[in-house]
Amino acid sequence: MQRSAVAGRSSGKVATTARVSSLARPRLPIAGRVARKSAVTVRAVAEPAVVDKAVDAAAKPVPSGGDPWEDEKWTKYKWTVYRGVAYDLTPYLDRHPGGRWLLNLAIGRDATALFESYHLRPEVAAAQLKRLPVLADFPVDAVPQSPRPNDSELYNAIRERVRKEVFKGTEIKGAHRSGSEGAALAVLGYAAAMYALYTYECNPLTGALLGLGGAWIGLTIQHCGNHGAMSTNPLVNNLMGLTNDLAGGSSLMWRYHHQVSHHIHCNDDALDEDVFSAFPMLRFDDRLPRAWYHQFQHIYMWVLFPFLQLVFQVGDWQALLTNRTVGATLYGASNFERQTLVAGKLAHYFLLYALPALLHGPGAMLGGAAGYLFTQSIVLASTFAVSHNVPETKPLDGGPTRANLEESALTRDWGVQQVLTSANWGGVVGNFFTGGLNLQIEHHLFPAISFMHYPAISKIVEDECTKRGIQYSKYETLPEILGRFVRYMAEVGAAPQKPVNRSGEMLMLSKF
């Protein structure tokens, strides 16, 4: 394994104990609750001004204030915030080149990090954004500020080289979202063949083979599709993303949990859902409280992993009812998106349970479904968990990663954070079978680029990190990083809780 490191910086802040019990549900900050009450007196006389910058001189100013999520002055707009300016997305929703379903993620939040990490040419996209109506006197300060990737010198340098050396200008025609068509055909072909076998002879073996297909879908085409990176055609991306629903997940919930929470705030113990969503059964981070049984989690987690898909089922339905995943609120989710969740669940239940039961009887169906659920869950859990849960990405002691995560979410270098909190394994073969998730560093820096380009991009990322003395973690094989993950789970399970500073992140969490 190759690794380099930079000296860590101490945050120098007074630490307080992290509280996990408050993570599951948002609570409006005191300032927001006061603003909501005071807004009642102005609703009848004050409406937010929608300002086109070309005619902003003629706009009439209105009193600022109010809760942007509750006050009717603002809730009638599909608003987002980018670098301190509030925009109304309504006129652009149906014209967004990536599709409305992706732009919906930006509604009701500061979407700066989503915006800047999803566009290889952010200056072009920013020019389009500035043509949208601006909401004058919008209470921007009430909206938790997003990280700003374009402020990262490392990220800008890497992106510039990727544009010049990998795509050579062809990204303007969408080359960065192309190249994975063959992989998509392979995945869909295998899944279709295994489902035919499953319906022909339903048993634990055919269920396990189908489970491999479900896991392959989850790792590749649904993942890349929901990031908008399988094709230049948003309909193709949407359809590939919806294969998640057929395989047993939810493309809607996945986008909010994975893109809004995890990708933007990787390994932040308050804002990255992947850090705390398995707690208290599993403790993935020493900043979380420790129970006596966590010292054995590296053993009993293998008993829990086969039930991961069932946990997804419960979580998806609960999120639909509460309008919130564990780490993100579904502010922009449309009624159509919610309906696709229900339709997708019903289709999955029919294909996995009802049809085999009709063809072969309940007993055979139960054996086949168990083979599917256990195989898919173990493969997904093993491949998803390893890249962010090894000592380099979540150190129990000091070092550059710990120093980066101890900084405020708003002051830490976003590009450096993505590199430090991710670890790679394998190469081109692993890239094909995992949809680029083995090259997790590159995926976190460029989630909207087709995974087929990650091997070439990884050379640039490693070179730029080496020049700056920034840790770039990689393992040679999946068994190597998987073994280190198991040892890490034993270590973090036995480690005492580390105090952390949560002064700003709790406010952010309440509205993210």
Side-chain angles (χ1 to χ4, degrees), residues 253 314-324 330 338 341:
M253 300 308 169
V314 175
D316 291 341
W317 285 113
Q318 183 179 24
L320 181 65
L321 295 174
T322 61
N323 199 44
R324 179 178 173 82
L330 281 62
R338 299 174 199 278
L341 182 149

Side-chain angles (χ1 to χ4, degrees), residues 86-307:
Y87 297 91
D88 179 18
L89 294 174
T90 304
Y92 195 58
L93 286 173
D94 293 326
R95 296 189 292 115
H96 181 236
R100 178 171 183 156
W101 51 282
L102 274 180
L103 193 58
N104 283 345
L105 297 175
I107 295 174
R109 56 177 42 88
D110 185 330
T112 302
L114 281 171
F115 182 87
E116 294 181 351
S117 63
Y118 268 71
H119 294 94
L120 199 54
R121 288 182 174 271
E123 68 280 2
V124 176
Q128 180 63 46
L129 182 67
K130 291 178 180 178
R131 296 177 183 176
L132 296 178
V134 173
L135 294 174
D137 299 307
F138 184 89
V140 172
D141 291 341
V143 181
Q145 184 178 318
S146 163
R148 298 181 174 184
N150 285 356
D151 290 349
S152 170
E153 184 273 335
L154 172 68
Y155 185 56
N156 289 331
I158 293 173
R159 182 170 54 197
E160 185 65 21
R161 284 190 61 185
V162 167
R163 285 164 52 173
K164 290 181 177 179
E165 299 175 26
V166 177
F167 298 110
K168 302 176 182 178
T170 59
E171 75 279 359
I172 199 167
K173 298 181 180 180
H176 59 303
R177 302 181 193 273
S178 305
S180 51
E181 295 82 3
L185 290 176
V187 175
L188 291 173
Y190 174 84
M194 291 306 101
Y195 185 73
L197 183 62
Y198 178 72
T199 55
Y200 177 76
E201 185 66 39
C202 187
N203 57 51
L205 176 59
T206 59
L209 292 173
L210 180 61
L212 289 175
W216 203 7
I217 286 173
L219 292 170
T220 54
I221 59 174
Q222 79 80 19
H223 194 149
C224 199
N226 276 310
H227 276 299
M230 280 296 291
S231 170
T232 56
N233 187 324
L235 178 60
V236 173
N237 286 322
N238 200 358
L239 291 175
M240 292 296 99
L242 287 171
T243 60
N244 186 5
D245 299 71
L246 291 180
S250 165
S251 55
L252 170 63
M253 300 308 169
W254 186 91
R255 287 194 293 272
Y256 279 89
H257 139 234
H258 188 74
Q259 291 161 250
V260 175
S261 175
H262 170 64
H263 259 266
I264 301 305
H265 305 285
C266 188
N267 279 5
D268 186 295
D269 64 304
L271 300 169
D272 179 358
E273 179 175 331
D274 284 357
V275 173
F276 53 80
S277 59
F279 187 87
M281 295 303 296
L282 294 175
R283 185 188 188 223
F284 283 110
D285 198 296
D286 67 345
R287 293 166 292 182
L288 300 176
R290 181 173 68 92
W292 65 269
Y293 53 83
H294 287 140
Q295 62 187 310
F296 307 111
Q297 66 178 6
H298 62 294
I299 300 172
Y300 69 72
M301 68 182 182
W302 297 106
V303 179
L304 299 179
F305 282 169
F307 299 95

Side-chain angles (χ1 to χ4, degrees), residues 35-36 38-40 42-43 46 65-76:
R36 184 196 306 172
S38 64
V40 175
V42 298
R43 283 177 182 164
D67 185 330
W69 297 274
E70 302 288 345
D71 198 308
E72 64 185 21
K73 292 188 302 179
W74 311 114
T75 56
K76 66 180 182 180

Side-chain angles (χ1 to χ4, degrees), residues 433-451:
F433 284 104
T434 67
L437 298 189
N438 66 315
L439 301 180
Q440 194 72 200
I441 296 173
E442 288 66 36
H443 175 62
H444 264 257
L445 291 171
F446 301 105
I449 289 181
S450 168
F451 63 87

Side-chain angles (χ1 to χ4, degrees), residues 198 202-215 306 309 352-353 363-379:
Y198 178 72
C202 187
N203 57 51
L205 176 59
T206 59
L209 292 173
L210 180 61
L212 289 175
Q309 217 256 37
L352 185 64
Y353 302 110
M365 177 273 291
L366 289 175
Y372 176 88
L373 295 173
F374 290 176
T375 302
Q376 183 194 43
S377 297
I378 291 174
V379 172

